[in-house]
Amino acid sequence: MFSYLLRRLLATIPVMLLVAVFVFMLLRLTPGDPAAIIAGDYANDAQIAEIRSKLGLDKPLPVQFMVWLGNMFQGDFGESFFYKKQVGELIAARLEPTLSLSLLTIILTVCIAVPLGTLAAYRQGSWLDRGIMGFSVLGFSLPVFVIGYILIYVFSIQLGWLPVQGYQRISDGVGGWLLRLILPSVALSVIFVAFIARMTRTSVLEVLGEDYIRTARAKGQTESKVLMHHAVRNAAVPIVTVIGLSFAILIGGVVVTESVFNLPGLGLLTVEAVLARDFPTIQAVILLFSFIYVLINLAIDVSYTLLDPRIRY
Amino acid sequence: MTTAAISPGSQTLRRMLANPSVIIGGLLVLAILLMGLLAPVLGTRDPADISPKDRNQPPGYETTVRDNSGAKVPVVYRLGSDTLGRDVYSRIVYGARISLVVGISVAAISIVIGMAIGVLAGYVRWLDGIIMRIMDGLMAIPAILLAIAVVSLFSAGLTSVIIAIVVPEVPRVVRLVRSIVLSIREEPYVEAAITAGTRTPVLLVRHILPNTIAPLIVQGTFIVASAIIVEAILSFLGIGIPPEIPTWGNIMAEGRAVFQLYPHNIFYPGLVLALTVLAVNMLGDGLRDTLDPRFAKRV
């Protein structure tokens, strides 16, 4: 187990290195001189030359890459062109809204999607199953910003139950924090509920056809116990895989949701950085998100051994 | 089933036409295609026409404008007007063009590139490792972020948006094609063809690639749907197609600031966008179930 973990951890290094190369090349691939882009439209030649030597852009590419990577490892993501602050500080300040939104969305998704999918599988072919599957196709197709605005319109503008936009730090009161996150996390969770409910249904259906389910029923086990203990448990591996896979979409969704609900998180920071062509910030955010994504996938792989004792590495 | 005369092709076609998903999705997609093609006929006004006195009007608003000869002509803003007094209905109709162009070209380009790379990876053993590691690296970057990063490199425009959406899609196609090639190359008929002295290019084109067509058509429809959404997201965030060009995302971006007072600028394009994506997804679902019976059992 330990050696497996170590092997998997080592295997993520080349992937992360490749991501780092892509992210590094980002600025170098831009048509034109990176120093001129950094300097902005109104810089003169002397300023551009100064930036070039300050950032080491006059050195050969491999050297630049090693210097850049070395800085990253020391937690130095460079200085934001736009905010004139350390990118590391910038990210730290924006972490809380994004983490809150993501966690709430995941909790909400799992609490809704797994029971829905199980129910659909249990009542396969019924109107309930059709309804849940119909909702699932619809949920796939409704873009998160459309759902977001519908929710804002109904619950904030028409009914006036919830605040329209904005964020409150958790330290300023849990109530206000939660109140402002309800709509964003509901909006964001729709697509995942659709996705995961569907996958849950498929894998529970497969398990329900197994002999041991019939055995459990034959020995007089109650239906709820058959479902919870025998079916869902055995269907867990594919469900967890899908939850892991959907993190990539979650990260994309965070960018859009934060924008719609005006949550000052990493997603909004990304959009602001792109609009300002603030490359150090863009690079750091992409690197960070990819790193998290790779780690989550690793965690999912490792969790298989916990969920299914038959899987041994 | 009764006679041997029915070819597998016509059977597939028959299955397809009996599938409600294919029919409903296909008809809706056709309707949206027609909407885009017939935009100049369907649109009531030039989508770029600004009219400051008619801004932020509700759906069904009627007014008069002077035409080129100076005569007053009545116009109806069927779906209201935006903050610059442009006709939302006409903008939505014209917006279909951008969405469709982006969706279809992203799917076509990523399939062509992905197929070429996938065949190389699946067939040329020593290239496999290198190619797949690069694809793993690309896939480790969340798709929308990768698209945002690529868009940030170029100036805003249709081409850069298409490139930005193609880049994250390619690795997914490569994986699919590679896995098919890997399983097909072990088939006895491929070995037979090799033994018979078939040259590699002929072998690839005649014996291996045809197997990728059905899965790629299915994958292609899903790429169209996701490309349409990503384009709308990029435009909505203000980093996609330039704002003066009518796209569904741009109309919504335009409506953001005044959403609380005039929600129609967001709702109508959002509705059309959702309907389009739904139609393409339904078509894809139906095609998956009918084109390849092996797929139908999964998901």
Side-chain angles (χ1 to χ4, degrees):
Chain A
M1 180 69 199
F2 181 74
S3 74
Y4 167 72
L5 234 150
L6 198 71
R7 251 200 339 264
R8 279 304 319 259
L9 212 58
L10 287 177
T12 61
I13 292 175
V15 173
M16 280 317 297
L17 260 179
L18 264 162
V19 173
V21 172
F22 289 135
V23 170
F24 171 77
M25 291 309 287
L26 201 63
L27 188 54
R28 276 71 190 176
L29 281 173
T30 351
D33 180 3
I37 294 167
I38 293 168
D41 294 336
Y42 303 106
N44 57 37
D45 287 347
Q47 284 169 315
I48 294 174
E50 192 197 318
I51 287 173
R52 189 175 296 132
S53 63
K54 192 176 135 199
L55 296 178
L57 292 170
D58 43 3
K59 298 194 180 74
L61 269 185
V63 177
Q64 286 184 40
F65 178 67
M66 292 319 289
V67 170
W68 179 76
L69 201 64
N71 289 341
M72 289 273 168
F73 273 117
Q74 290 162 21
D76 176 12
F77 296 97
E79 193 194 16
S80 156
F81 303 157
F82 182 67
Y83 295 95
K84 304 289 171 208
K85 267 195 197 162
Q86 283 299 309
V87 174
E89 286 173 35
L90 217 56
I91 287 180
R94 300 293 197 105
L95 215 52
E96 191 195 301
T98 303
L99 274 180
S100 311
L101 175 63
S102 312
L103 279 177
L104 271 180
T105 305
I106 294 165
I107 294 171
L108 207 63
T109 303
V110 174
C111 288
I112 298 173
V114 176
L116 272 188
T118 314
L119 212 61
Y122 187 64
R123 298 239 176 272
Q124 192 199 1
S126 69
W127 61 268
L128 192 72
D129 180 26
R130 275 162 212 232
I132 292 171
M133 283 305 101
F135 159 80
S136 153
V137 177
L138 198 69
F140 266 144
S141 309
L142 277 174
V144 58
F145 50 119
V146 177
I147 304 171
Y149 278 111
I150 293 174
L151 290 177
I152 293 179
Y153 185 74
V154 175
F155 293 100
S156 305
I157 298 176
Q158 293 296 320
L159 296 171
W161 290 353
L162 294 161
V164 176
Q165 283 176 324
Y167 181 72
Q168 183 181 321
R169 295 208 165 264
I170 199 164
S171 51
D172 296 337
V174 178
W177 169 81
L178 197 63
L179 215 58
R180 280 171 182 77
L181 281 173
I182 292 176
L183 290 187
S185 42
V186 169
L188 188 50
S189 63
V190 169
I191 186 168
F192 301 109
V193 171
F195 198 46
I196 291 165
R198 217 179 161 140
M199 204 60 214
T200 307
R201 175 181 178 272
T202 315
S203 58
V204 171
L205 263 184
E206 230 161 74
V207 172
L208 281 179
E210 298 282 344
D211 291 340
Y212 54 79
I213 297 289
R214 199 179 44 212
T215 311
R217 281 184 176 145
K219 74 175 185 193
Q221 188 67 279
T222 57
E223 279 299 292
S224 65
K225 277 203 171 160
V226 169
L227 266 186
M228 296 316 296
H229 286 228
H230 298 271
V232 177
R233 261 198 185 177
N234 282 296
V237 169
I239 297 173
V240 170
T241 312
V242 170
I243 294 176
L245 286 176
S246 49
F247 269 102
I249 321 173
L250 178 72
I251 291 167
V254 162
V255 177
V256 182
T257 312
E258 287 185 358
S259 205
V260 170
F261 289 94
N262 211 3
L263 302 174
L266 289 176
L268 208 57
L269 179 69
T270 316
V271 177
E272 290 164 1
V274 170
L275 287 174
R277 307 203 120 221
D278 186 355
F279 284 100
T281 310
I282 301 175
Q283 288 176 320
V285 172
I286 292 179
L287 215 53
L288 181 73
F289 274 132
S290 309
F291 187 57
I292 294 172
Y293 181 45
V294 169
L295 279 188
I296 286 169
N297 275 315
L298 178 70
I300 298 283
D301 271 8
V302 174
S303 77
Y304 290 162
T305 47
L306 300 176
L307 290 169
D308 188 344
R310 283 169 303 182
I311 300 177
R312 286 262 170 265
Y313 298 101
Chain B
M1 291 290 184
T2 46
T3 58
I6 302 173
S7 71
S10 75
Q11 257 186 18
T12 309
L13 197 69
R14 212 176 276 191
R15 253 206 321 268
M16 244 192 245
L17 293 178
N19 185 304
S21 260
V22 174
I23 300 294
I24 300 171
L27 284 178
L28 272 171
V29 170
L30 201 69
I32 293 149
L33 272 172
L34 280 176
M35 180 165 110
L37 284 175
L38 298 177
V41 184
L42 289 171
T44 48
R45 300 200 58 189
D46 181 340
D49 252 4
I50 291 172
S51 174
K53 78 174 170 60
D54 301 313
R55 61 180 190 269
N56 292 327
Q57 294 297 334
Y61 169 75
E62 289 174 42
T63 184
T64 52
V65 288
R66 285 185 190 281
D67 65 7
N68 291 339
S69 60
K72 279 193 168 180
V73 232
V75 283
V76 183
Y77 285 75
R78 290 186 193 170
L79 299 179
S81 63
D82 67 9
T83 46
L84 295 173
R86 293 174 295 197
D87 180 26
V88 172
Y89 165 74
S90 302
R91 289 178 72 75
I92 291 176
V93 169
Y94 275 92
R97 293 183 159 190
I98 299 287
S99 288
L100 292 169
V101 165
V102 170
I104 294 168
S105 39
V106 165
I109 297 170
S110 27
I111 284 179
V112 169
I113 299 177
M115 192 150 88
I117 302 177
V119 167
L120 271 182
Y123 210 81
V124 187
R125 298 311 301 158
W126 62 271
L127 267 175
D128 188 28
I130 305 169
I131 291 177
M132 290 325 284
R133 291 298 80 73
I134 295 175
M135 294 301 139
D136 283 348
L138 272 177
M139 282 180 62
I141 307 175
I144 290 183
L145 278 185
L146 187 53
I148 287 176
V150 175
V151 158
S152 70
L153 292 182
F154 308 103
S155 51
L158 188 59
T159 327
S160 58
V161 166
I162 291 176
I163 297 173
I165 308 175
V166 163
V167 173
E169 289 293 348
V170 166
R172 284 158 242 275
V173 181
V174 170
R175 273 200 166 180
L176 180 68
V177 173
R178 171 182 173 270
S179 71
I180 297 168
V181 171
L182 279 181
S183 63
I184 297 298
R185 56 178 285 165
E186 305 299 329
E187 293 283 331
Y189 68 83
V190 173
E191 280 174 23
I194 295 171
T195 322
T198 316
R199 288 186 305 119
T200 310
V202 179
L203 183 81
L204 285 176
V205 173
R206 193 171 296 164
H207 300 288
I208 292 183
L209 285 185
N211 289 291
T212 63
I213 291 173
L216 280 180
I217 290 175
V218 175
Q219 181 77 8
T221 49
F222 293 129
I223 295 178
V224 170
S226 98
I228 289 176
I229 289 192
V230 176
E231 183 275 315
I233 287 174
L234 292 176
S235 296
F236 173 78
L237 293 175
I239 50 185
I241 310 274
E244 63 274 12
I245 299 172
T247 75
W248 296 335
N250 277 340
I251 305 169
M252 296 176 79
E254 185 71 47
R256 283 173 81 174
V258 291
F259 173 71
Q260 299 205 28
L261 296 170
Y262 311 105
H264 61 269
N265 284 354
I266 297 243
F267 284 152
Y268 290 115
L271 190 73
V272 181
L273 171 67
L275 205 65
T276 307
V277 176
L278 180 69
V280 179
N281 274 337
M282 280 175 80
L283 185 65
D285 267 356
L287 287 178
R288 182 188 52 207
D289 293 348
T290 50
L291 272 182
D292 193 344
R294 276 172 304 168
F295 276 116
K297 291 203 182 108
R298 302 181 207 157
V299 185

